[in-house]
């Protein structure tokens, strides 16, 4: 009975999640996850960046505009950026865009920054699960306006 | 340069509430340099507004443009605004005025225009000139007391500066007069601080209606 | 009576200070001022102290005059332009006010209306010049005035500052502009004050040293942290902290400070911050006033 409380669409909703991944860590970690044959949801669409420092507010917003239900930025662990502090800059930009999204009524949780190293294949798979579950619970970015 | 700041997104959404086809116009001069209303900021704002309106179930069509200078007619001329219900300008207030004069549709301000200033460091801008129309910088070591002193004092500091040389107002700004004193001392020009400055002629400032400047020799 | 007349007569001048209330009822303030008046020569009436909106200084000075209290009309540059300032000075003369203290005024950001547009059309040096010029029978743009303006103008200085030189330069300008007496920010250390007095030896103007009545050690610490130019030395803070009676100790400290500094200057300005009734005791402790001997009188009766 309790399961019926959740609408059917949410149960079967497969979110589209864009992951902006740093070449030196998250992208390699995703690769490793594959080599390790770890299962992770196919909802994650990876875009490789030379560094998360390349992330721009416009990338994040355009991803949402073009149909993403969630966006993640995955960079090196703090202090380990290949370009010294690109990941710290990305963090500030992600926070800024999150704030702006929240002010306009869009859940900030749809956008998240993660930090991991290239050796963390299983952590990447874990993040992919976490993000997919989170966005699945939130539902599609658009399309349920009347329900609100 | 003119330093401005984007208005809060909710204020912008409020101004746009009644429209569903709008042109966003950025300006590629001062406000692009201060990262408030250039081409990029125009794109980010347009994207954010589209997302917000889509989410609210009231989609909006926004086209984006950025012209070199909104304060000059020759750059505005090529801009087409047919078919739009309104324009949101990301220029400074001068640009908004100018676009509003030019186009027969409502022009809305996307920015709060702040001040004339300089870049202190990447991401930090500071006000250094008030445009008072009667410059005194030759007497104050190149540090403006009109705008950098919260009280626009002309004859030395009040009694409120902290031991760190900060203004009593608590804004974190350095006391302009302590800075002037130190600069004049370094320059060996402290005697200019001992001369009494007469009351300022504020009629040359912005308090006597809009100011215009005419150079007959260059008029066409 | 003009403070300068008293100073010229060789008297060690004593001024107190009160702040008008938020509202229209002056009865308490007049009562407080009346307890103060026998012990002092004049009472400063603040002009919206701490940039907070209060009943006006000018109206309060007028009521003081009606009650035989001698006011020092404080006038700041914060809230009025040169037109209003000159007009208020004329009004002051018309109401019989003789002493005017001219100040810059705290910034509105420090008060209860931080959204206010600050004026500061002229600064304190310029306003002193303007007020002096009014005394010559002309307004600042040269228009003739009817009636005579004969005001005793005063100004303020902060004796403890780092750097101090800008304060001294400004003091020189204020005196040149017509300041005939100077009241200082509160001083808690006689050696600091001595250094200041030595630094201004070349300036010929009577100095009234500022004395603030301490109410508690907390208040002392608060001022040390938040009030520019006020430095309460640690031993005094401790003395207040250990005091059995804060009021008694406060009176002792103030009396002691005045005693230590009275030979260096021409007067004292006491800021009692609500403790007006303690001021006579302070001055008695400093040997500047004889308290009325109530008990003896009763015995005689």
């Amino acid at each position: 009975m309790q399961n019926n409380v959740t609408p059917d669409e949410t149960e079967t909703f497969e979110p589209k999640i864009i992951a902006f991944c740093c070449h030196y860590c998250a992208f390699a970690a995703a690769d490793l996850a594959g080599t390790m044959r770890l299962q992770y949801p196919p909802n994650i669409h990876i875009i490789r960046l030379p560094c998360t420092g390349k992330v721009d507010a416009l990338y994040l917003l355009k991803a949402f505009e073009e149909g993403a239900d969630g966006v993640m930025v995955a960079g090196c662990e703090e202090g380990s950026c290949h370009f010294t502090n690109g990941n710290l800059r990305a963090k500030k930009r992600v926070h800024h865009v999150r704030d702006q999204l929240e002010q306009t009524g869009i859940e900030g949780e749809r956008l998240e920054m993660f930090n991991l190293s290239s050796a963390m294949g299983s952590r990447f798979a874990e993040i992919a699960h976490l993000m997919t579950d989170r966005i699945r619970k939130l539902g599609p970015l658009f399309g349920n306006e009347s329900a609100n | 340069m003119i330093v401005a700041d984007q208005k809060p997104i909710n204020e912008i959404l409020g101004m746009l509430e009644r429209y569903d086809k709008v042109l966003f116009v950025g300006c590629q001069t001062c406000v692009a340099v201060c990262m408030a209303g250039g081409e990029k900021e125009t794109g980010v704002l347009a994207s954010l507004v589209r997302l917000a309106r889509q989410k609210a179930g009231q989609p909006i069509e926004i086209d984006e443009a950025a012209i070199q200078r909104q304060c000059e007619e020759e750059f505005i001329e090529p801009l087409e605004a047919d078919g739009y219900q309104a324009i949101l300008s990301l220029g400074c207030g001068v640009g908004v005025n100018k676009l509003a004069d030019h186009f027969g549709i409502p022009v809305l301000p996307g920015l709060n225009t702040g001040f004339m200033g300089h870049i202190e460091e990447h991401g930090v801008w500071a006000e250094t000139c008030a445009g008072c129309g009667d410059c005194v910088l030759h007497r104050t070591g190149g540090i403006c007391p009109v705008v950098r002193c919260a009280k626009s004092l002309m004859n030395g500091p009040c009694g409120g500066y902290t031991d760190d040389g900060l203004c009593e107002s608590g804004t974190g700004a350095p006391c302009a007069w302590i800075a002037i004193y130190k600069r004049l001392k370094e320059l060996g020009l402290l005697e200019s601080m001992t001369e009494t400055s007469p009351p300022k002629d504020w009629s040359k400032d912005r308090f006597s209606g809009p100011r215009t400047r005419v150079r007959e020799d260059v008029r066409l | 009576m003009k403070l300068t007349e008293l100073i010229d007569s060789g008297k060690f001048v004593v001024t107190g200070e009160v702040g008008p209330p938020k509202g229209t009822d002056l009865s308490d303030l007049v009562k407080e001022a009346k307890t103060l008046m026998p012990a002092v020569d004049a009472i400063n009436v603040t002009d919206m102290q701490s940039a907070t909106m209060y009943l006006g200084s000018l109206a309060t000075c007028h009521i003081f005059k009606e009650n035989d209290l001698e006011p020092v009309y404080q006038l700041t540059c914060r809230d009025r332009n040169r037109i209003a300032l000159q007009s208020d000075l004329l009004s002051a003369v018309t109401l019989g006010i003789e002493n005017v203290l001219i100040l810059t005024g705290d910034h509105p950001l420090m008060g209860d209306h931080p959204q206010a547009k600050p004026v500061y059309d002229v600064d304190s040096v310029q306003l002193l010049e303007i007020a002096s010029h009014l005394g010559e029978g002309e307004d600042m743009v040269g228009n003739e005035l009817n009636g005579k303006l004969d005001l005793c103008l005063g100004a303020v200085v902060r004796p403890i500052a780092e750097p101090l030189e800008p304060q001294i330069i400004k003091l020189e300008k204020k005196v040149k502009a017509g300041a005939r007496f100077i009241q200082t920010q509160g001083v808690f250390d006689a050696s600091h004050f001595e250094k200041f007095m030595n630094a201004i030896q070349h300036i010929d103007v009577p100095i009234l040293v500022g004395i603030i009545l301490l109410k508690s050690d907390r208040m002392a610490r608060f001022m040390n942290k938040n009030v520019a130019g006020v430095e309460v030395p640690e031993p005094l803070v401790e003395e207040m902290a250990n005091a059995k009676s804060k009021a008694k100790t406060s009176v002792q400290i103030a009396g002691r400070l005045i005693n230590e500094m009275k030979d260096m200057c021409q007067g004292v300005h006491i800021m009692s911050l609500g403790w007006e009734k303690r001021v006579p005791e302070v001055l008695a402790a400093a040997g500047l006033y004889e308290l009325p001997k109530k008990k003896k009188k009763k015995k005689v009766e």
Side-chain angles (χ1 to χ4, degrees):
Chain A
M1 279 297 278
Q2 273 191 330
N3 285 346
N4 291 344
V5 176
T6 333
D8 263 6
E9 315 92 89
T10 313
E11 289 256 55
T12 56
F13 164 57
E14 288 301 335
K16 187 183 257 186
I17 297 167
I18 302 297
F20 291 100
C21 294
C22 161
H23 166 77
Y24 291 94
C25 52
F27 187 79
D31 210 18
L32 181 62
T35 315
M36 288 165 76
R37 304 194 179 282
L38 295 171
Q39 289 283 329
Y40 69 84
N43 308 62
I44 307 286
H45 302 265
I46 295 176
I47 295 176
R48 180 166 60 156
L49 297 179
C51 170
T52 50
K54 186 73 188 76
V55 160
D56 185 292
L58 208 49
Y59 291 14
L60 307 174
L61 293 167
K62 282 288 176 200
F64 284 118
E65 267 202 84
E66 298 297 325
D69 300 293
V71 175
M72 55 180 267
V73 176
C76 300
E77 294 184 299
E78 292 188 8
S80 306
C81 175
H82 192 75
F83 301 100
T84 315
N85 54 12
N87 53 352
L88 300 177
R89 288 183 177 162
K91 182 182 169 183
K92 288 208 256 184
R93 292 174 203 153
V94 168
H95 283 178
H96 178 69
V97 173
R98 260 183 88 132
D99 278 357
Q100 296 253 291
L101 287 173
E102 275 172 3
Q103 283 179 45
T104 62
I106 293 171
E107 303 90 345
E109 303 96 294
R110 290 184 186 275
L111 173 63
E112 192 69 80
M113 169 114 191
F114 296 99
N115 299 88
L116 71 173
S117 81
S118 59
M120 294 177 171
S122 52
R123 172 66 182 147
F124 185 85
E126 195 183 310
I127 289 168
H129 279 290
L130 184 152
M131 216 41 202
T132 308
D133 287 351
R134 182 196 286 184
I135 306 300
R136 196 171 275 147
K137 273 183 197 143
L138 287 170
L141 174 59
F142 301 125
N144 55 352
E145 286 82 49
S146 52
N148 294 340
Chain B
M1 89 181 104
I2 292 177
V3 180
D5 210 2
Q6 207 163 85
K7 277 184 175 287
I9 182 71
N10 281 321
E11 196 182 336
I12 293 174
L13 288 171
M15 289 191 291
L16 293 170
E17 209 163 23
R18 62 169 79 182
Y19 306 114
D20 51 32
K21 191 164 194 253
V22 177
L23 177 65
F24 279 24
V25 184
C27 180
Q28 291 289 67
T29 308
C30 311
V31 292
V33 181
C34 73
M35 300 177 189
E39 188 175 13
K40 184 169 156 183
E41 291 77 22
T42 305
V44 170
L45 182 66
S47 191
L48 202 57
V49 170
R50 278 192 290 260
L51 283 169
R53 289 286 292 263
Q54 183 76 33
K55 184 75 180 166
Q58 295 152 337
I60 184 171
E61 197 184 321
I62 300 172
D63 286 323
E64 301 157 28
I67 60 175
Q68 191 56 42
R69 270 197 289 284
Q70 291 188 13
C71 54
E72 274 190 67
E73 195 64 33
E74 62 175 292
F75 295 106
I76 300 171
E77 206 75 60
L79 199 62
E80 283 289 341
D82 294 346
Y84 298 103
Q85 297 158 325
I87 291 172
L88 184 100
S89 163
L90 281 92
C92 69
V94 179
V96 180
N97 274 270
K98 200 75 182 115
L99 295 188
D101 286 347
H102 187 91
F103 296 104
I105 54 173
V107 179
L108 316 166
L111 308 183
N112 286 324
T113 306
F115 51 83
M116 278 187 273
H118 70 281
I119 301 167
E120 203 137 278
E121 57 177 270
H122 199 72
V124 180
W125 295 269
E127 186 173 21
T128 36
C129 171
C132 72
D134 188 14
C135 193
V136 297
L137 285 167
H138 56 297
R139 284 190 272 134
T140 56
I143 295 166
C144 176
V146 180
V147 75
R148 292 169 78 173
C149 168
K151 302 176 183 176
S152 296
L153 301 180
M154 302 305 294
N155 279 295
C158 67
Y161 53 92
T162 68
D163 288 345
D164 316 328
L166 300 182
C167 174
E168 72 171 15
S169 61
T171 57
C175 168
W177 274 103
I178 295 305
I180 291 168
Y181 162 74
K182 288 182 175 163
R183 174 77 55 81
L184 289 175
K185 208 168 171 175
E186 272 168 26
L187 295 172
L189 294 171
L190 201 54
E191 79 275 1
S192 74
M193 197 166 151
T194 63
E195 289 158 20
T196 299
S197 287
K200 215 170 142 53
D201 181 357
W202 294 113
S203 72
K204 291 175 180 164
D205 203 315
R206 69 177 197 280
F207 308 109
S208 306
R211 293 172 282 180
T212 52
R213 172 174 178 253
V214 181
R215 247 189 82 174
E216 283 301 341
D217 60 322
V218 295
R219 288 184 95 171
L220 299 175
Chain C
M1 176 144 207
K2 290 197 187 66
L3 287 179
T4 39
E5 287 172 31
L6 288 172
I7 296 165
D8 291 346
S9 74
K11 189 183 180 306
F12 186 82
V13 171
V14 181
T15 51
E17 180 174 309
V18 295
K22 210 170 182 88
T24 56
D25 183 0
L26 271 175
S27 50
D28 283 349
L29 192 79
V30 168
K31 222 179 282 168
E32 281 161 28
K34 281 185 173 166
T35 64
L36 197 54
M37 198 61 221
V40 301
D41 298 303
I43 302 172
N44 283 32
V45 180
T46 53
D47 178 12
M48 293 183 269
Q49 61 275 23
S50 308
T52 303
M53 193 287 290
Y54 292 110
L55 175 60
S57 172
L58 187 56
T60 307
C61 287
H62 171 59
I63 300 290
F64 273 25
K65 273 282 181 191
E66 285 190 333
N67 282 273
D68 292 322
L69 299 160
E70 187 58 56
V72 177
Y73 170 40
Q74 291 200 8
L75 184 62
T76 74
C77 302
R78 178 188 55 234
D79 308 308
R80 302 164 193 87
N81 68 11
R82 60 192 75 184
I83 303 172
L85 288 167
Q86 290 181 95
S87 173
D88 280 357
L89 285 167
L90 301 187
S91 302
V93 172
T94 302
L95 295 172
I97 292 160
E98 291 178 281
N99 301 299
V100 183
L101 186 80
I102 282 166
L103 312 93
T104 306
D106 289 337
H107 196 279
L109 282 173
M110 301 173 78
D112 66 347
H113 290 63
Q115 306 84 356
K117 186 176 182 183
V119 179
Y120 301 112
D121 175 19
V122 294
D123 64 26
S124 53
V125 174
Q126 294 160 350
L127 182 53
L128 282 160
E129 274 195 343
I130 291 166
S132 300
H133 198 67
L134 291 176
E136 289 163 25
E138 271 186 357
D139 68 14
M140 68 180 287
V141 292
N143 297 315
E144 203 178 313
L145 305 171
N146 76 10
K148 198 172 165 295
L149 256 86
D150 187 12
L151 286 165
C152 170
L153 302 172
V156 295
V157 72
R158 172 180 160 189
I160 295 157
E162 181 47 47
L164 180 63
E165 197 177 9
Q167 288 295 322
I168 296 175
I169 293 173
K170 196 158 182 184
L171 179 63
E172 288 167 2
K173 288 182 174 181
K174 285 177 175 179
V175 173
K176 210 175 123 198
R180 291 292 163 261
F181 68 94
I182 302 293
Q183 292 175 334
T184 81
Q185 174 60 288
V187 181
F188 288 94
D189 186 327
S191 64
H192 280 166
F193 186 63
E194 191 176 5
K195 267 185 217 152
F196 169 74
M197 290 307 288
N198 286 334
I200 60 158
Q201 264 178 355
H202 62 289
I203 308 173
D204 182 25
V205 70
I207 303 282
L208 279 61
V209 62
I211 296 289
I212 300 173
L213 297 196
L214 290 174
K215 289 183 176 171
S216 64
D217 50 313
R218 261 187 63 200
M219 176 217 186
R221 289 195 202 287
F222 177 85
M223 288 195 299
N224 280 345
K225 209 175 150 202
N226 299 300
V227 183
V230 175
E231 281 176 29
V232 187
E234 199 49 37
L236 288 192
V237 181
E238 288 298 314
E239 203 176 330
M240 282 307 287
N242 300 330
K244 273 189 195 150
S245 158
K246 304 274 181 217
K248 223 178 223 175
T249 307
S250 170
V251 166
Q252 280 167 4
I253 291 173
R256 198 165 70 217
L257 285 168
I258 297 171
N259 256 325
E260 287 169 1
M261 297 189 281
K262 66 182 175 189
D263 293 333
M264 303 177 203
C265 55
Q266 289 70 39
V268 58
H269 174 63
I270 302 176
M271 291 162 266
S272 41
L273 308 166
W275 275 13
E276 279 71 56
K277 61 175 185 200
R278 306 275 171 210
V279 173
E281 296 167 38
V282 170
L283 292 163
L288 292 169
Y289 178 64
E290 207 170 315
L291 287 170
K293 287 163 188 156
K294 282 180 189 168
K295 278 180 187 174
K296 268 189 182 174
K297 266 186 189 171
K298 271 181 189 168
K299 271 179 190 172
V300 174
E301 278 167 16

